[in-house]
RNA sequence: CGGGGCGUAGCUCAGCCUGGUAGAGCGCACGGUUCGGGACCGUGAGGCCGGAGGUUCAAAUCCUCUCGCCCCGACCA
């Protein structure tokens, strides 16, 4: 493709609404254009990379035995009401009405639609298993779309759904999908990590996320270098923390005055104790009333763990009024001892084995010291509520966990029978007995993967495409339009490369060399072939890789050969 | 949705505090000089200052309301 005939406009300025580097570079390189918050046009150059990603995903899905189909983007509300998700998904569902005021939504995911199709078509265990996938625009009315394609409201996703007669069959497909996802991200040359994950709103039992490691990732993951354990911090476990306080339980319960000390830092400063001697008391609201959660003062609580322990539908930090009502004190002085009313208390294992803690006294400007479980307060509900972080002990071996940031580019779930039960998607077994089908589902963010690739592959001058995702493989630059020799040779080499089946982009614009080099760096095409008057006078052209920039002068007649060599790696 | 910030030319921004008829750089068009890492000179086009209402002789500027966008939190491929 000749640039002069293409639709590509780069910019020098970084757009004022782009925060992360992949977003900035995609806009500057003329790959995407924003239509509204989280809603983008994929411009021709961007669309090519997106299509490359889709091709890779298709190839691996097909190879893993999945079958492609295309489901509607618009879903009737009735299907979503069958699983209750019309309400559970909440405002994330982009809803609309048709002319008859019937409710519809734009599909954010397709469990309902695919299950509806399957329950009509499939009746027998003999027809199982199968795995259906599509690549389609999804719609989620995100509370906060951001970072360009990283969290968009309309975004391309590959979603697959497998149906089985029983868990063993699901396990096989799940494993095949896991392997296929690994191949996809390896094919893209991305540095990624598969981690244990929380299954979230989609539901189900086991689930794994595929994380591209990047500073700007919105997720945190921990991993163990010794045994390979890796998990999203939402899900991660760790070895029990070493006992924080002495075990003597000799100290007496004493109320101490702590005026204005509403934070852990305030209290440790005032009392001269370490933060791990404090117990943080967090007040949460659930649909079944308030709950207190206790955790060691130097650590954070993992709300996902609390939710699943409580089995709650909704969980949020209590507001000031609720805290006042439940503890009888303003925010900052809550504690488990001497509460004005009976409240459910859940305590983290991190504080179970230790004693002589400091807690809030449930009145303004006061804390207790020397608190001991059993003697001063009875705690019956113990569980793991810890938000694991770097430096914690690996739960599987004696290694130490490292903390990384990651971009969630894929997520696979064992759904079990959650949807098939709600929607009566059943089959008859060989005894003629009816069972709900066992399901799996497998999502992969197309645009997000491309954005993640840029996060991982760029420098101060622009994108450095991994070859498999590059919009074109080779960029031919005619450094000037004024020199007939240069133009003639560049045209010829461009045609030759096309004949070789190479995807080649040709900068044939009448621009100054500096502009062309800057743009070349920005759009990041992996292999560059420069034809300039100076070297051509000596019968040479210049071949280089975007990644290292090292320029090799080669005789014109060897140029194609060298380019092919570089492409081959 | 809570907290913060911003809407002025295609892009990045100044002007606003202290009201007086709209600015710069880049980009774009034309002419000229240039031509291996975003050249230079000249000329020019381009803005109901996000929208509505109000105060005022006079509003980009002050006030009210609205819409949009961005950042921090809960959500997720």
């Amino acid at each position: 493709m000749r640039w002069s005939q293409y639709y590509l406009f780069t910019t020098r300025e970084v757009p004022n609404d782009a925060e992360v580097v992949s977003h900035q570079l995609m806009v500057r390189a003329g790959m995407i254009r924003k239509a509204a918050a989280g809603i983008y046009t994929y411009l021709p150059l961007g669309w090519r990379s997106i299509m490359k990603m889709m091709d890779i995903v298709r190839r691996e899905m097909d190879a893993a035995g999945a079958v492609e189909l295309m489901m509607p983007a618009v879903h009737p509300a009735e299907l979503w009401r069958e699983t209750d998700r019309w309400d559970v998904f909440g405002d994330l569902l982009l809803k609309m009405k048709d002319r008859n005021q019937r409710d519809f939504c734009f599909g954010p995911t397709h469990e309902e639609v695919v299950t509806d199709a399957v329950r009509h078509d499939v009746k027998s265990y003999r027809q199982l298993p199968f795995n259906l996938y599509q690549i389609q625009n999804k719609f989620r009315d995100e509370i906060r779309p951001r970072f360009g394609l990283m969290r968009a409201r309309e975004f391309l996703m590959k979603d697959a759904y497998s149906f089985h007669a029983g868990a063993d069959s699901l396990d096989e497909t799940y494993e095949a999908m896991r392997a296929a996802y690994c191949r996809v991200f390896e094919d893209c040359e991305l540095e990624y990590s598969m981690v244990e994950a929380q299954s979230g709103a989609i539901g189900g039992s086991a689930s794994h996320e595929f994380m591209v490691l990047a500073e700007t990732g919105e997720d945190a993951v921990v991993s163990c270098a010794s045994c390979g354990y890796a998990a999203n911090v939402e899900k991660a476990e760790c070895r029990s923390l070493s006992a924080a306080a002495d075990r003597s339980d000799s100290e007496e319960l004493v109320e101490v005055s702590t005026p204005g000390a509403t934070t852990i830092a305030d209290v440790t400063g005032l009392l001269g104790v370490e933060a791990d001697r404090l117990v943080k008391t967090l007040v949460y609201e659930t649909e079944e009333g308030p709950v207190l959660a206790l955790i060691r003062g130097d650590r954070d609580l993992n709300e996902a763990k609390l939710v699943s322990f409580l089995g709650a539908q909704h969980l949020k930090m209590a507001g000031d009024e609720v805290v006042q009502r439940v503890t009888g004190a303003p925010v900052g002085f809550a504690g488990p001892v001497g509460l004005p009313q009976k409240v459910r208390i859940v305590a983290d294992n991190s504080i179970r084995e230790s004693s002589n803690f400091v807690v809030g006294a449930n009145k303004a400007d006061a804390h207790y010291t020397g608190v001991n479980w059993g003697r001063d307060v009875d705690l019956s509900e113990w569980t793991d509520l810890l938000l694991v972080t770097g430096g914690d002990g690996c739960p599987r071996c004696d290694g130490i966990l490292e903390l990384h940031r990651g971009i969630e580019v894929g997520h696979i779930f064992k759904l079990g029978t959650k949807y098939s039960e709600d929607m009566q998607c059943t089959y008859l077994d060989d005894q003629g007995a009816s069972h709900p089908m066992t399901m799996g589902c497998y999502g992969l963010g197309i645009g997000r993967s491309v954005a993640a690739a840029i996060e991982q592959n760029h420098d101060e001058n622009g994108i450095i495409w991994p070859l498999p995702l590059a919009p074109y493989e080779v960029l031919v630059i005619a450094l000037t339009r004024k020199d007939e020799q240069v133009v003639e040779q560049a045209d010829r080499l461009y045609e030759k490369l096309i004949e070789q089946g190479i995807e080649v982009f040709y900068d044939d614009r009448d621009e100054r060399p500096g502009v062309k080099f800057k743009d070349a760096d920005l759009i990041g095409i992996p292999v560059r072939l420069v034809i300039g008057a100076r070297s051509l006078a000596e019968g040479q052209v210049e071949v280089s890789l975007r990644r290292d920039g090292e320029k090799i002068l080669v005789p014109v007649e060897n140029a194609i050969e060298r380019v092919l060599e570089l492409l081959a790696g």
Side-chain angles (χ1 to χ4, degrees), chain A residues 252-394:
Chain A
E252 284 181 32
L253 182 69
V254 179
E255 183 186 316
V256 294
S257 170
T258 53
T262 57
T263 67
I264 296 291
D266 293 342
V267 177
T268 54
L270 203 62
L271 300 181
V273 297
E274 295 299 316
D276 61 6
R277 296 290 306 278
L278 271 58
V279 168
K280 221 187 302 197
T281 304
L282 302 165
V283 185
Y284 282 94
E285 286 182 75
T286 73
E287 69 273 15
E288 300 192 346
V291 173
L292 296 192
L294 306 186
I295 193 153
R296 212 171 78 180
D298 61 332
R299 299 302 299 259
D300 290 323
L301 180 133
N302 182 335
E303 293 190 359
K305 287 182 178 176
L306 183 58
V307 169
S308 69
F309 179 79
L310 295 172
Q313 290 286 324
H314 303 286
L315 181 83
K316 63 169 191 180
M317 286 287 275
D320 295 4
E321 324 77 56
V322 176
V323 172
Q324 179 73 238
R325 179 163 51 79
V326 172
T327 68
V331 172
F333 301 97
V337 182
L339 286 161
Q341 52 177 287
K342 191 151 177 57
V343 189
R344 184 171 180 188
I345 304 178
V346 182
D348 181 62
N349 292 331
S350 63
I351 56 173
R352 187 165 195 170
E353 301 302 328
S354 311
S355 51
N356 299 328
F357 280 111
V358 177
V359 302
N362 296 316
K363 58 170 120 166
D365 303 329
H367 282 74
Y368 288 122
T369 63
V371 175
N372 287 287
W373 316 132
R375 188 189 73 186
D376 303 316
V377 58
D378 275 321
L379 297 177
S380 53
E381 297 195 79
W382 295 94
T383 185
D384 171 28
L385 295 176
L386 194 68
L387 185 69
V388 173
T389 186
D392 285 344
C394 175

Side-chain angles (χ1 to χ4, degrees), chain A residues 52-110:
Chain A
K52 289 281 182 85
M53 185 68 205
M54 293 195 290
D55 288 346
I56 291 169
V57 170
R58 270 203 182 90
R59 191 177 70 222
E60 296 301 337
M61 287 299 108
D62 293 346
V67 180
E68 186 168 5
L69 82 174
M70 187 66 164
M71 291 185 265
V74 174
H75 303 184
E78 302 86 77
L79 289 179
W80 284 78
R81 292 203 170 104
E82 283 190 53
T83 58
D84 262 357
R85 290 209 295 179
W86 185 259
D87 297 317
V88 171
F89 239 85
D91 293 334
L92 203 58
L93 261 191
L94 185 57
K95 297 173 182 172
M96 64 161 176
K97 290 181 189 294
D98 72 2
R99 64 171 75 208
N100 298 313
Q101 300 304 304
R102 278 190 291 253
D103 288 319
F104 289 85
C105 67
F106 290 96
T109 177
H110 284 239

